[in-house]
């Protein structure tokens, strides 16, 4: 299943293998990706805790770039093209969430 390394917040040279997003696995995918991003220390840019300080702006930008890159590597080409213009990891995450959670609600309403 790919080299997951030894964890530890992304230290070292190992690359984390993110699970691919499909048309049917959004819920389990989002749980797994959130856990990996928390381990890598980049989840805080996707779901900020509330405090925002200017002194960490450069570090936050680096984390956001990583978060966006990690999310984009999970996507099939059709979804990648839909979110490619999103500038931040949070924008990508929110766009995917709106798409898949919205689709799930439509399916439930039809039942």
């Amino acid at each position: 299943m790919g080299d997951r390394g030894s964890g530890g917040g992304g230290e070292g040279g190992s690359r984390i293998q993110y699970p691919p997003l499909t048309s049917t696995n959004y819920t389990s995918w989002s749980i797994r990706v959130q856990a990996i991003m928390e381990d890598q220390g980049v989840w805080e840019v996707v779901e900020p805790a509330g405090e925002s300080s200017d002194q960490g702006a450069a570090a936050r930008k680096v984390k956001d770039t990583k978060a966006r890159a990690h999310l984009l590597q999970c996507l099939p080409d059709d979804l990648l093209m839909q979110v490619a213009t999103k500038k931040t990891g949070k924008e990508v995450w929110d766009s995917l969430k709106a798409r898949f959670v919205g689709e799930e609600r439509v399916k439930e309403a039809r039942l």
Side-chain angles (χ1 to χ4, degrees):
M1 171 146 199
D3 184 4
R4 292 204 175 258
S6 58
E11 301 299 324
S14 323
R15 291 192 45 110
I16 298 295
Q17 182 67 39
Y18 279 72
L21 177 61
T22 68
S23 61
T24 60
N25 74 343
Y26 175 78
T27 301
S28 60
W29 174 86
S30 65
I31 292 167
R32 287 184 179 106
V33 169
Q34 180 178 344
I36 294 168
M37 292 178 98
E38 286 172 349
D39 178 60
Q40 296 296 297
V42 298
W43 179 249
E44 63 198 46
V45 298
V46 176
E47 290 292 331
E51 75 281 346
S52 178
S53 71
D54 289 335
Q55 68 187 155
R60 184 171 175 77
K61 176 67 177 162
V62 168
K63 286 182 180 184
D64 187 59
T65 300
K66 285 183 181 181
R68 183 175 179 272
H70 293 320
L71 289 170
L72 294 181
Q73 84 168 350
C74 301
L75 304 179
D77 289 346
D78 61 329
L79 285 176
L80 178 65
M81 293 302 125
Q82 292 175 20
V83 300
T85 59
K86 305 300 181 192
K87 301 293 185 205
T88 68
K90 180 167 180 45
E91 287 178 2
V92 172
W93 183 268
D94 289 346
S95 177
L96 294 170
K97 184 176 181 179
R99 175 191 167 110
F100 285 96
V101 172
E103 282 183 6
E104 195 58 38
R105 288 192 179 140
V106 168
K107 287 178 191 173
E108 288 174 6
R110 289 182 181 162
L111 294 178

